[in-house]
Amino acid sequence: RANSQSIADTPNVNTIHVFVALCDNKYQGIVPVPPKIGNGQDPNNNLYWGCGYGVRTYFKKSAEWKLIQTLKPDTLLMERLVFKHVSKNYYVVADAYNGKYIKECTVDLLRSCAGRKKDVLKVNDVKLGLFGNAKLIAYAGHDGLMDFSLEENFKNVDGEKRDAIILACYSKSYFSSYLEQTQATPLVWTTGLMCPEAYSLHDALTGYVNGESAEAIRSRAAKAYTKYHKCGEKAARNLLVTG
């Protein structure tokens, strides 16, 4: 059913679909974090969602985005937030996946990049394109491909070229072969260990909605990472790369 969903009647609406695999000490191969922020079944206190630099909290505090809807779909997709840009016709749909289901989250991400999974969400009479109907597909969380491999074919099925941002450790080396199949353009991904908190994504999206180049978008992400990690901009630019 979802694959037949069309957004043709709302052509000027741009959706950015953000996938967040909640940080999970129990079900992910991560260096453990404190138990309260590493419970992948508790979005409210999760490092990548409800904490100060989590996607929900950071975007809610942003002057650029306004929260317009909150949904709590099920035990796999624990929370869905819809943000509208304050001045441009862009929406962010951010999904918090139960940390136990990071593999399902990763598959949904890649299927979306390939146009294999599509859906539509109606918000206040506006149809928002989800998954492969979004212009930009983004991920923030642990790199699950360090723990499991995927046998599935993610070959692009509709000829549409989407953009992708993958904020996870070593995402360029682990996701390259899959992303190549999808034909999505990697705007920002990583060459090493990183903390996928929301500031890098947020600032990259500032450049994206302004129509900036991939290099400028990458630079914004690196500057944000430098600011919060005090790591030096050269190090951040070596970590967060484009193309």
Side-chain angles (χ1 to χ4, degrees), residues 69-88:
Q69 192 173 68
T70 302
L71 302 161
K72 296 188 188 296
D74 52 44
T75 53
L76 185 151
L77 183 55
M78 304 200 77
E79 190 163 78
R80 168 173 282 167
L81 304 179
V82 182
F83 296 91
K84 166 82 173 66
H85 193 271
V86 293
S87 63
K88 293 186 167 66

Side-chain angles (χ1 to χ4, degrees), residues 187-219:
L187 297 179
V188 186
W189 51 0
T190 70
T191 60
L193 296 170
M194 66 99 60
C195 181
E197 291 175 326
Y199 34 80
S200 301
L201 174 66
H202 176 277
D203 287 15
L205 295 190
T206 300
Y208 189 77
V209 302
N210 287 333
E212 293 176 6
S213 68
E215 180 51 45
I217 291 166
R218 184 280 285 252
S219 285

Side-chain angles (χ1 to χ4, degrees), residues 52-204:
Y53 298 134
V55 166
R56 180 174 75 185
T57 306
Y58 200 85
F59 275 77
K60 276 174 83 169
K61 288 180 176 173
S62 168
E64 296 172 46
W65 299 95
K66 185 177 181 348
L67 180 65
I68 58 171
Q69 192 173 68
T70 302
L71 302 161
K72 296 188 188 296
D74 52 44
T75 53
L76 185 151
L77 183 55
M78 304 200 77
E79 190 163 78
R80 168 173 282 167
L81 304 179
V82 182
F83 296 91
K84 166 82 173 66
H85 193 271
V86 293
S87 63
K88 293 186 167 66
N89 212 6
Y90 275 87
Y91 291 80
V92 164
V93 176
D95 285 349
Y97 278 70
N98 183 328
K100 183 179 181 178
Y101 301 112
I102 186 171
K103 188 170 186 176
E104 287 81 352
C105 180
T106 306
V107 168
D108 282 352
L109 172 84
L110 291 166
R111 284 177 180 166
S112 300
C113 287
R116 289 175 172 265
K117 183 180 175 79
K118 295 180 182 179
D119 208 346
V120 170
L121 179 67
K122 200 169 180 190
V123 181
N124 304 333
D125 296 326
V126 177
K127 279 187 175 180
L128 303 183
L130 301 189
F131 301 104
N133 280 330
K135 303 278 192 233
L136 169 61
I137 319 287
Y139 175 79
H142 171 59
D143 186 343
L145 295 177
M146 291 176 157
D147 307 329
F148 52 78
S149 57
L150 301 173
E151 303 307 317
E152 193 172 325
N153 174 1
F154 296 105
K155 191 165 182 271
N156 183 295
V157 291
D158 62 4
E160 294 283 327
K161 295 285 175 72
R162 298 164 186 87
D163 295 312
I165 292 175
I166 306 177
L167 298 177
C169 295
Y170 292 100
S171 58
K172 184 173 182 179
S173 55
Y174 280 91
F175 278 85
S176 277
S177 60
Y178 298 111
L179 206 67
E180 202 172 326
Q181 294 177 39
T182 72
Q183 295 177 20
T185 302
L187 297 179
V188 186
W189 51 0
T190 70
T191 60
L193 296 170
M194 66 99 60
C195 181
E197 291 175 326
Y199 34 80
S200 301
L201 174 66
H202 176 277
D203 287 15

